[in-house]
Amino acid sequence: MAGIYIHIPFCKQACHYCDFHFSTNLTNTNEMVRAILLELAIRKDYLGSETIETIYFGGGTPSILEEAHIAMILNRIRKNHSVGTSPEITLEANPDDLNSKKLAGLKAAGINRLSVGIQTFQDDRLKLINRTHSAREAINCIKNAQEIGFDNLTADLIYALPPEEMDYWKHDLQQMVALKLPHISLYGLTIEEKTVFGNWVAKGKLQETSEDLAANQYKYAIEYLSDLGYRQYEVSNFAKPGYESRHNSAYWSGKSYLGIGPGAHSFDGQHRSYNIRHNHKYIEAIQSGEIPETVETLSDLQRINEIILTELRTVEGIDLNSLKIRWRKDLLNDQKEEIDNLLRSDFVKLENSQLSLTTAGFMVADDIALRLFYDE
Amino acid sequence: MDHIRNFCIIAHIDHGKSTLADRLLEFTQTVSDRDMQAQLLDNMDLERERGITIKSHAIQMNYLKGGKEFILNLIDTPGHVDFSYEVSRSIAACEGALLIVDASQGIEAQTISNLYLALEHDLEIIPVLNKIDLPGAMPEEVSDQIIDLIGCAKEDIIHASAKEGIGIEDILNAIVARIPSPKGDPEEPLQAMIFDSVFNSFRGIEVFFRVFNGTIKKGDKVKFVNTGKVYEADEIGVLKLDHEPRKELKAGNVGYIISGIKVAKEVKVGDTITHVDRPTQRQVKGFEDVKPMVYAGIYPVETSEFEELRASMEKLQLNDASLVWEPETSMALGFGFRCGFLGMLHMEIVQERLEREFDMTVITTVPSVRFHAIKSDGEIVKVSAPSELPESNYISHVEEPYIRAQIITKSEYIGAVIALCMDKRGEIKNQVYLTSDRVELTFELPLAEIVFDFFDKLKTISRGYASLDYELIGYRQSHMVKLDIMLNGEKVDALSAIVHRDKAYEWGKRLCEKLKELIPRQMFEIAVQASIGTKIIARETVKAMRKNVLAKCYGGDISRKRKLLEKQKKGKKRMRQVGNVEIPQEAFMAVLKLD
């Protein structure tokens, strides 16, 4: 069981908070798709003979691509790999790209799950973060997608957006659940260096939302969605039963994945590698038959810490038995004092050899993870 | 002997002493161009960077004048009030002094006090107006200041620019013509004075001395009078750019002795060297055991590095005899050392040298002066750490060290300077106009009040136009109290301080505020309290951490995020735990940053 991630490094315009890899120069999309096809061919043995269960088009904005491009890429994957019988094939999309024709085309090409970047339903905030769509477009595109028959849909919202205000968030959540999506992702705004927001904050032109309000918004959302039957199965992800993202879950459970495209990351169980974050250099390298990648070999302790980090963020929590059997680490004993403290103050719970976060724990998951880390 | 001249340089920081010394060395060809390195005498990196001389140094030059070759011994002096005793010994080793004054700045307090020292020792003063090439130079005005001060004739003042090489020959000629040659009798019993020592990792301690009477020869058995230690003079010589061994050194000359001494502590600046067989009856006057003025704890950031820190301190002490220390333990910080320093600059230097030369990262605790706690039976308990202060019911009162401070500033800043000194519990004693717009103010102040940020504040309120010199004048009774800091009810011993009662509330309040800033939010609320005895006088709260979770953790982020958290974990390990509270190391230095 493995996954393939395809990075589509193009956007119509840059969102002010985003530090992912993309270019707003759309002149060489054809060349890029050819390079992606080529990389898929070059790396067809990366995952060995594993069955591909999930394919994920991320970005950037994959919905910029023609349906034909998507179909070509999927065909190449089917040609090179054995794809499972009911794969999850996700495409990240922006509302303004998804007219009915496009939606039908994507469906025909094989996409069976859409992840729509809504971010907020407030037009003034959409403008502030430099999105290309309106709230109305977002709502319409979801409705269109549902009519065309996409039932496995997810959308993103961002909390802690400036200006600081609790109510916009409550309103956004209401609008979101009204769309009756089976899956919702919630991300807290983080101010990254080398973004417009990073620059504004550094210059004092933008006020970052306080930790307290961000915490209140996050907590509100957890409770609100849970009351409506959405299960928080990971820090940022909420789903109706059976609609959890299989691709992302694979990341968190340490499965192998192949990442294609500039800036894409791959993992084979022991090595993490990533391609160069530069469209032109990526294309050049691939055309000359080389993978422009940087490879990092993980030590056992690094692997173990990654397991602690990713599993802790899921609703199941850390599988202490598997850690013991596979990695010979008795976490409960090795970090006894920390875990006792965390249990006592209700940040974690321990059931059937699974150490998992409580709602209070989800709020401070990073702090807890590093307390459980092993020293190298 | 009549061809020897021994002289030092008196100058304020930045007035160009080291550059002038460089020019003298070049002009006399003591160093070749190839070996020339700016500020040659300041051979510690730290000295070059800070532009100050920390240790004294000495160097011998040869200068041909009127067909005679003269030997010029330049004894460089440290340029900071922390090292005023070393300065006094260097001065005592000379017959003359160059008084360097920056033509754009005028005379500063430090210069005046060192000048007085030189006059007390009957040194011939050669005034030099440096940096005359600067656009801001005020040669007339500054010349008047110099004339007022030493009563010389205007023509006696040499105009120079060490940077541009102007006036260097005039200075050398004046040294030969105006500074008297040393007096003394090479046949008398040996009487030599130690003015400095340095550590050489191959040969042990090199001791620098001035011979006043008698003659020292290689292989002689000599005694250091105050320590009573006896050595053999394995090697003696003069201080050129490198050491030049000699068979003998006679009265009037300056040189070094190597005799297998391993630790700097055995060598006391100001001590007299004499022969074991034919000892002098006259030891050189003015010897003092240098006493630390400021005490603070030094702890390794990593508790496991205590032994390494000890080894580093021992090595540091090899060439810094004025550093004293003994082991100390703290509930909060673990094992460390209570150290005595000559002053705050000395403390900073020690900390920086530990970091640079020994790669040790250390936490320095609240600096303290040495208080006297007087028991009811009159017994004096010396207190150089808050933990040493006996409970108030065991003592009748506390005394604290006072200083006399000389501050020279421009007349427009008098008000601000006086206000600052009053705020520091000072009392003004005298006010003298040196010129129409430069004034010398004399204050008596508690030493404790000036060890923190006094100098910085003085510089700020006077826009840099104030200089400070001080001397200890004794102990006076004061109402001192011990102020403790508690985190969630647990006392943090390393944050305690002895402060004056009138200032305790302000101190406690500001320290709590500062700690609130410096202690990161943790998973529970933290009460930060200041107390005197059982009475809480200030409180702040560090709110519980509300949220610490990065939203995304997909493919590529996993590695990045793991590294981020591993780095944070390392940072956490450097924190100290008191009760359930993690305290970052900056918090222990918070006291130094109270504004």
Side-chain angles (χ1 to χ4, degrees):
Chain A
M1 284 217 331
I4 293 179
Y5 173 85
I6 312 286
H7 191 80
I8 306 301
F10 299 107
C11 287
K12 283 185 197 157
Q13 65 185 46
C15 301
H16 286 348
Y17 53 83
C18 180
D19 74 339
F20 286 6
H21 171 65
F22 63 88
S23 163
T24 51
N25 174 359
L26 309 182
T27 52
N28 59 352
T29 48
N30 285 324
E31 243 187 316
M32 180 58 72
V33 171
R34 277 198 296 275
I36 285 171
L37 293 171
L38 200 51
E39 190 188 358
L40 276 167
I42 298 170
R43 303 181 76 182
K44 66 181 165 47
D45 296 326
Y46 182 85
L47 295 169
S49 58
E50 287 199 71
T51 307
I52 305 304
E53 295 290 345
T54 63
I55 299 167
Y56 195 102
F57 290 87
T61 316
S63 54
I64 277 181
L65 289 190
E66 306 288 327
E67 299 88 291
H69 284 148
I70 305 288
M72 282 160 77
I73 293 168
L74 288 175
N75 286 339
R76 176 62 56 92
I77 293 172
R78 289 204 170 90
K79 198 176 129 198
N80 291 342
H81 297 271
S82 88
V83 176
T85 48
S86 57
E88 175 193 276
I89 305 177
T90 308
L91 180 108
E92 288 180 348
N94 277 354
D96 45 327
D97 291 328
L98 295 182
N99 55 40
S100 300
K101 184 174 162 283
K102 180 88 171 218
L103 284 163
L106 289 171
K107 195 159 193 317
I111 301 296
N112 57 27
R113 184 172 181 269
L114 285 176
S115 170
V116 185
I118 292 178
Q119 318 310 2
T120 174
F121 292 98
Q122 320 290 316
D123 282 335
D124 50 346
R125 285 177 205 260
L126 284 168
K127 212 169 160 184
L128 177 75
I129 60 179
N130 207 34
R131 297 289 292 177
T132 50
H133 62 88
S134 65
R136 174 63 28 210
E137 281 176 292
I139 293 164
N140 287 342
C141 114
I142 295 287
K143 287 186 173 154
N144 286 338
Q146 285 164 332
E147 272 168 30
I148 276 168
F150 281 104
D151 76 318
N152 197 350
L153 280 169
T154 180
D156 299 347
L157 284 183
I158 301 180
Y159 61 93
L161 278 178
E164 179 150 340
E165 187 199 351
M166 185 66 192
D167 282 354
Y168 99 82
W169 181 242
K170 293 184 176 172
H171 182 259
D172 272 4
L173 285 171
Q174 268 172 24
Q175 298 262 71
M176 189 66 143
V177 298
L179 296 174
K180 303 204 180 318
L181 301 173
H183 186 284
I184 298 169
S185 297
L186 308 179
Y187 300 115
L189 179 72
T190 49
I191 305 289
E192 306 286 350
E193 280 176 55
K194 294 180 189 163
T195 62
V196 171
F197 273 6
N199 189 9
W200 285 359
V201 167
K203 285 190 179 147
K205 281 165 74 180
L206 185 76
Q207 176 80 42
E208 212 174 337
T209 297
S210 69
E211 181 185 327
D212 283 325
L213 182 69
N216 289 341
Q217 289 179 332
Y218 182 48
K219 189 155 179 269
Y220 177 84
I222 293 174
E223 284 157 8
Y224 181 78
L225 293 178
S226 142
D227 286 349
L228 294 167
Y230 289 94
R231 191 176 75 121
Q232 182 181 19
Y233 68 102
E234 195 259 358
V235 164
S236 304
N237 290 283
F238 301 78
K240 293 280 170 78
Y243 283 91
E244 294 84 3
S245 162
R246 284 157 57 193
H247 186 81
N248 289 335
S249 298
Y251 287 145
W252 306 323
S253 56
K255 299 214 168 66
S256 302
Y257 52 90
L258 169 63
I260 299 290
H265 290 247
S266 304
F267 179 57
D268 66 0
Q270 186 69 51
H271 308 90
R272 290 199 181 276
S273 59
Y274 57 93
N275 287 342
I276 192 165
R277 280 170 62 114
H278 188 285
N279 287 4
H280 184 65
K281 287 182 186 163
Y282 165 79
I283 291 171
E284 255 186 6
I286 293 292
Q287 280 173 350
S288 64
E290 280 168 39
I291 307 297
E293 62 177 350
T294 307
V295 184
E296 182 192 8
T297 306
L298 299 180
S299 69
D300 282 358
L301 278 181
Q302 286 172 330
R303 278 290 290 121
I304 292 163
N305 284 347
E306 284 192 354
I307 291 166
I308 291 172
L309 166 65
T310 52
E311 289 193 354
L312 188 67
R313 293 167 63 95
T314 65
V315 69
E316 292 82 13
I318 303 171
D319 184 340
L320 297 171
N321 274 341
S322 137
L323 211 54
K324 224 183 264 181
I325 294 161
R326 176 137 186 240
W327 297 100
R328 300 176 188 286
K329 287 288 178 196
D330 186 352
L331 188 66
L332 221 45
N333 185 47
D334 297 340
Q335 307 285 15
K336 186 170 188 334
E337 200 183 326
E338 291 283 7
I339 294 174
D340 283 350
N341 278 336
L342 292 167
L343 283 168
R344 220 182 355 257
S345 37
D346 268 337
F347 285 111
V348 297
K349 52 186 192 287
L350 183 62
E351 282 160 1
N352 309 320
S353 288
Q354 293 284 138
L355 185 71
S356 61
L357 298 173
T358 61
T359 296
F362 269 117
M363 311 281 293
V364 292
D366 287 1
D367 205 77
I368 295 174
L370 72 90
R371 281 167 195 280
L372 301 181
F373 269 15
Y374 283 90
D375 286 329
E376 281 204 71
Chain B
M1 214 183 303
D2 61 347
H3 59 281
I4 297 178
R5 299 290 181 273
N6 297 318
F7 70 102
C8 59
I9 301 180
I10 295 171
H12 190 71
I13 297 170
D14 287 342
H15 282 202
K17 181 181 69 172
S18 298
T19 313
L20 180 73
D22 288 352
R23 288 297 97 76
L24 297 178
L25 299 182
E26 275 175 353
F27 198 91
T28 56
Q29 290 170 2
T30 310
V31 277
S32 62
D33 290 345
R34 192 169 47 86
D35 292 332
M36 198 60 210
Q37 196 178 8
Q39 303 186 5
L40 201 77
L41 287 182
D42 295 343
N43 43 26
M44 255 190 252
D45 283 347
L46 210 56
E47 292 183 321
R48 286 208 186 95
E49 268 165 44
R50 290 189 174 221
I52 53 166
T53 307
I54 297 167
K55 300 278 294 173
S56 359
H57 303 280
I59 194 158
Q60 190 176 85
M61 296 168 262
N62 293 2
Y63 183 56
L64 217 58
K65 176 72 187 169
K68 263 173 83 177
E69 192 179 53
F70 288 88
I71 293 173
L72 312 183
N73 288 311
L74 164 59
I75 296 170
D76 197 17
T77 55
H80 192 276
V81 59
D82 282 6
F83 306 98
S84 48
Y85 175 70
E86 291 196 26
V87 175
S88 84
R89 294 304 83 201
S90 296
I91 284 171
C94 299
E95 278 78 32
L98 300 178
L99 171 68
I100 313 288
V101 183
D102 185 327
S104 64
Q105 305 273 334
I107 293 179
E108 305 287 356
Q110 182 88 63
T111 317
I112 293 193
S113 64
N114 288 346
L115 176 67
Y116 287 159
L117 263 177
L119 291 171
E120 270 172 42
H121 284 85
D122 285 332
L123 262 52
E124 175 66 31
I125 309 292
I126 299 174
V128 176
L129 206 51
N130 195 23
K131 306 196 189 179
I132 50 149
D133 59 309
L134 287 188
M138 313 169 289
E140 290 302 316
E141 207 184 323
V142 179
S143 293
D144 286 346
Q145 285 179 21
I146 295 173
I147 293 165
D148 276 357
L149 207 63
I150 59 174
C152 62
K154 200 168 179 181
E155 313 79 71
D156 291 342
I157 302 172
I158 299 171
H159 288 216
S161 165
K163 202 165 139 251
E164 301 298 325
I166 301 167
I168 304 305
E169 194 173 0
D170 295 343
I171 293 171
L172 286 164
N173 290 341
I175 290 168
V176 168
R178 281 148 67 175
I179 295 177
S181 58
K183 294 175 190 63
D185 184 349
E187 305 307 325
E188 269 193 37
L190 177 65
Q191 183 206 30
M193 183 193 71
I194 299 172
F195 62 84
D196 195 15
S197 66
V198 298
F199 173 72
N200 177 321
S201 48
F202 299 106
R203 313 194 60 186
I205 307 288
E206 300 166 357
V207 177
F208 300 161
F209 60 88
R210 153 77 195 266
V211 188
F212 286 108
N213 282 296
T215 301
I216 181 170
K217 295 195 175 84
K218 181 177 182 334
D220 281 356
K221 273 220 161 16
V222 294
K223 186 169 122 173
F224 290 6
V225 175
N226 281 287
T227 60
K229 300 248 183 192
V230 172
Y231 308 98
E232 187 166 332
D234 298 338
E235 182 180 320
I236 59 167
V238 295
L239 298 149
K240 293 293 179 80
L241 186 59
D242 294 313
H243 296 359
E244 267 185 33
R246 292 277 193 276
K247 290 219 166 60
E248 59 173 35
L249 287 171
K250 289 186 174 173
N253 217 337
V254 169
Y256 70 89
I257 172 171
I258 294 171
S259 52
I261 305 173
K262 297 276 187 310
V263 270
K265 266 198 289 191
E266 280 183 33
V267 181
K268 298 201 182 282
V269 168
D271 202 351
T272 305
I273 306 175
T274 192
H275 281 126
V276 174
D277 293 342
R278 194 178 155 227
T280 178
Q281 298 308 311
R282 296 179 293 160
Q283 50 165 296
V284 182
K285 284 194 198 105
F287 172 78
E288 277 173 35
D289 242 331
V290 184
K291 288 192 189 69
M293 300 275 254
V294 179
Y295 297 80
I298 288 190
Y299 290 82
V301 165
E302 309 281 352
T303 40
S304 58
E305 288 180 353
F306 171 71
E307 283 306 327
E308 220 172 305
L309 178 60
R310 180 202 290 278
S312 307
M313 300 271 292
E314 277 166 359
K315 277 190 201 143
L316 200 62
Q317 212 176 27
L318 291 180
N319 63 359
D320 185 350
S322 44
L323 170 66
V324 296
W325 48 267
E326 56 189 37
E328 176 185 71
T329 46
S330 152
M331 296 284 282
L333 297 174
F335 292 102
F337 301 96
R338 171 109 317 221
C339 304
F341 308 98
L342 299 177
M344 291 298 278
L345 178 72
H346 186 213
M347 174 170 134
E348 270 177 50
I349 288 167
V350 167
Q351 190 175 342
E352 267 193 64
R353 290 188 63 194
L354 281 171
E355 279 171 13
R356 285 180 192 213
E357 295 168 32
F358 302 96
D359 201 23
M360 296 293 313
T361 346
V362 295
I363 297 173
T364 315
T365 64
V366 191
S368 171
V369 300
R370 174 166 278 181
F371 296 95
H372 287 171
I374 316 295
K375 289 191 173 173
S376 35
D377 61 2
E379 190 197 332
I380 297 174
V381 182
K382 291 183 177 170
V383 176
S384 52
S387 60
E388 295 166 5
L389 187 69
E391 295 289 331
S392 55
N393 46 331
Y394 293 107
I395 48 177
S396 87
H397 64 276
V398 176
E399 293 179 349
E400 65 173 328
Y402 263 70
I403 55 156
R404 182 178 297 118
Q406 253 89 32
I407 295 171
I408 294 180
T409 188
K410 282 190 170 180
S411 48
E412 57 193 290
Y413 302 120
I414 293 179
V417 171
I418 292 179
L420 172 67
C421 292
M422 303 293 268
D423 180 52
K424 298 289 184 186
R425 299 191 281 132
E427 219 180 295
I428 185 154
K429 287 292 172 188
N430 201 6
Q431 178 173 344
V432 181
Y433 277 84
L434 302 172
T435 64
S436 60
D437 76 333
R438 285 180 76 78
V439 65
E440 183 190 42
L441 301 163
T442 307
F443 293 92
E444 288 177 4
L445 285 154
L447 177 63
E449 292 286 344
I450 70 152
V451 295
F452 294 115
D453 53 356
F454 182 78
F455 197 57
D456 289 340
K457 281 212 168 117
L458 185 63
K459 285 275 174 201
T460 309
I461 57 166
S462 64
R463 294 166 193 258
Y465 287 107
S467 56
L468 164 74
D469 186 58
Y470 63 82
E471 58 179 333
L472 208 55
I473 52 170
Y475 275 74
R476 291 183 190 174
Q477 181 171 346
S478 283
H479 199 132
M480 308 307 289
V481 294
K482 179 164 167 249
L483 187 127
D484 295 314
I485 294 292
M486 293 187 289
L487 296 178
N488 277 354
E490 297 238 17
K491 215 181 266 184
V492 185
D493 57 359
L495 286 171
S496 295
I498 298 172
V499 293
H500 193 266
R501 186 185 53 179
D502 294 350
K503 298 207 154 184
Y505 282 84
E506 187 59 25
W507 178 287
K509 186 168 153 265
R510 274 157 56 198
L511 190 49
C512 286
E513 285 166 2
K514 195 82 202 175
L515 288 169
K516 183 189 173 184
E517 267 172 47
L518 293 172
I519 297 174
R521 283 183 170 200
Q522 293 171 30
M523 281 153 85
F524 38 80
E525 191 175 282
I526 302 163
V528 183
Q529 294 168 305
S531 70
I532 299 171
T534 52
K535 190 176 168 202
I536 306 293
I537 59 164
R539 177 189 163 121
E540 292 286 336
T541 306
V542 179
K543 285 202 273 178
M545 176 198 295
R546 288 295 314 281
K547 180 172 172 291
N548 179 20
V549 53
L550 275 178
K552 294 205 174 190
C553 191
Y554 300 134
D557 284 338
I558 294 172
S559 236
R560 195 176 87 168
K561 200 162 159 56
R562 189 201 76 235
K563 284 176 196 160
L564 198 75
L565 292 182
E566 280 172 348
K567 203 171 139 205
Q568 281 179 26
K569 175 151 192 149
K570 282 207 181 92
K572 234 188 218 311
K573 286 187 83 176
R574 291 167 73 109
M575 294 202 202
R576 294 307 163 89
Q577 191 125 8
V578 171
N580 54 1
V581 183
E582 284 159 347
I583 314 172
Q585 49 166 319
E586 305 88 73
F588 293 102
M589 322 249 213
V591 194
L592 293 170
K593 295 183 196 115
L594 295 181
D595 19 61

